[in-house]
Amino acid sequence: MSAEKTSSPSRRTPLIVAAAAIVAALGITAAVGLGGNDDKTSGQGSGAIAEISGGSDSTKAATVLDRPFTKPALVLTDTKGEKYDLRERTKGKPTLIYFGYTHCPDVCPMTMSNIAIAKKQLPKADQDKLQVVFVTTDPERDTSAELAKWLPAAGDPSFTGLTGAFSTIQAGARQIGIGIDPPKKEKDGKVVSMHGAQVIAFSPTTDQGYVLYGEDATIDDYAKDLPKLIKGENP
């Protein structure tokens, strides 16, 4: 989970996910620690988290999951202010899902930019197939209009931006092992957002999330893997 401040560059942090989800999904060793909030009734930032040290092949940016994630049952609002059913709209399409926010100073725009540049290297037909979905972790500030302005600049006009109730977004993220906390304002006025920085790739043949990328994935990593992901193959 990365801690990101809106007024200054954030620390680059390791990939972090909910322990229960990652243990079920990955056949790799996880170092377990405590989350920053133990309020189990609210479900916000509570319980154990796991730091992923990498897959069996450290030369690859992608981690292929032993047990793929089911696509989140998210119904949110897109950049046009219209209802967007994630499962329905991306069914049978190669899809990359990322949870982040527009005020992020580094990791979020870099991730969107890397994917956008890699996408442009694909044949036009494959570009049209690929769905990239950016779900805000800061819905209070990231309105449909704000996402509509930010996504074309940070990534690509074709990327889908989604906003809605934070509780709905948080629950959807947890379905694919991504932990997010509500944005918090510090005493000095800085807003801090904590969220997992991984990209999950969903297969067009099974609609299952079977490949995971951390925040260090590069343009070349995505450019090399996207042709296979679009076909539903392992990178």
Side-chain angles (χ1 to χ4, degrees):
M1 187 178 290
S2 57
E4 300 173 331
K5 297 186 178 182
T6 60
S7 59
S8 62
S10 64
R11 240 175 354 133
R12 290 179 66 79
T13 55
L15 174 66
I16 289 179
V17 296
I22 206 67
V23 168
L26 300 178
I28 59 181
T29 302
V32 178
L34 293 179
N37 181 345
D38 290 328
D39 182 2
K40 290 178 171 50
T41 59
S42 67
Q44 296 174 351
S46 62
I49 55 177
E51 181 177 324
I52 304 309
S53 59
S56 57
D57 186 350
S58 62
T59 64
K60 289 188 176 183
T63 298
V64 178
L65 307 182
D66 291 337
R67 298 179 184 177
F69 289 115
T70 298
K71 193 174 291 180
L74 276 173
V75 180
L76 296 169
T77 303
D78 65 16
T79 54
K80 298 178 181 178
E82 299 175 353
K83 171 184 170 183
Y84 188 98
D85 185 321
L86 180 65
R87 285 184 177 176
E88 178 183 310
R89 297 287 289 273
T90 62
K91 184 176 182 180
K93 300 176 182 179
T95 304
L96 303 182
I97 296 178
Y98 181 80
F99 288 79
Y101 68 117
T102 66
H103 289 77
C104 169
D106 44 28
V107 177
C108 301
M110 180 62 71
T111 299
M112 291 297 98
S113 176
N114 287 349
I115 294 173
I117 294 171
K119 177 188 172 185
K120 287 181 173 62
Q121 299 179 34
L122 294 168
K124 182 62 167 60
D126 285 346
Q127 290 188 42
D128 293 340
K129 292 176 184 176
L130 182 65
Q131 306 296 301
V132 180
V133 179
F134 179 92
V135 185
T136 182
T137 60
D138 184 12
E140 184 174 337
R141 291 184 295 174
D142 286 347
T143 61
S144 294
E146 185 67 23
L147 288 169
K149 289 189 298 182
W150 184 83
L151 274 174
D156 188 282
S158 71
F159 289 1
T160 298
L162 299 179
T163 188
F166 179 83
S167 59
T168 301
I169 293 169
Q170 185 184 53
R174 284 188 170 179
Q175 290 176 35
I176 54 175
I178 299 174
I180 62 174
D181 287 339
K184 295 180 180 179
K185 182 176 287 188
E186 297 184 331
K187 292 180 180 179
D188 59 5
K190 296 176 182 177
V191 178
V192 178
S193 178
M194 298 285 288
H195 65 87
Q198 58 268 51
V199 173
I200 310 291
F202 287 80
S203 169
T205 58
T206 65
D207 280 320
Q208 298 288 299
Y210 69 112
V211 181
L212 180 151
Y213 292 90
E215 64 182 68
D216 292 324
T218 66
I219 294 170
D220 289 343
D221 292 328
Y222 286 114
K224 176 172 62 70
D225 291 356
L226 283 178
K228 292 183 178 179
L229 295 177
I230 287 170
K231 297 176 183 178
E233 299 175 354
N234 288 346

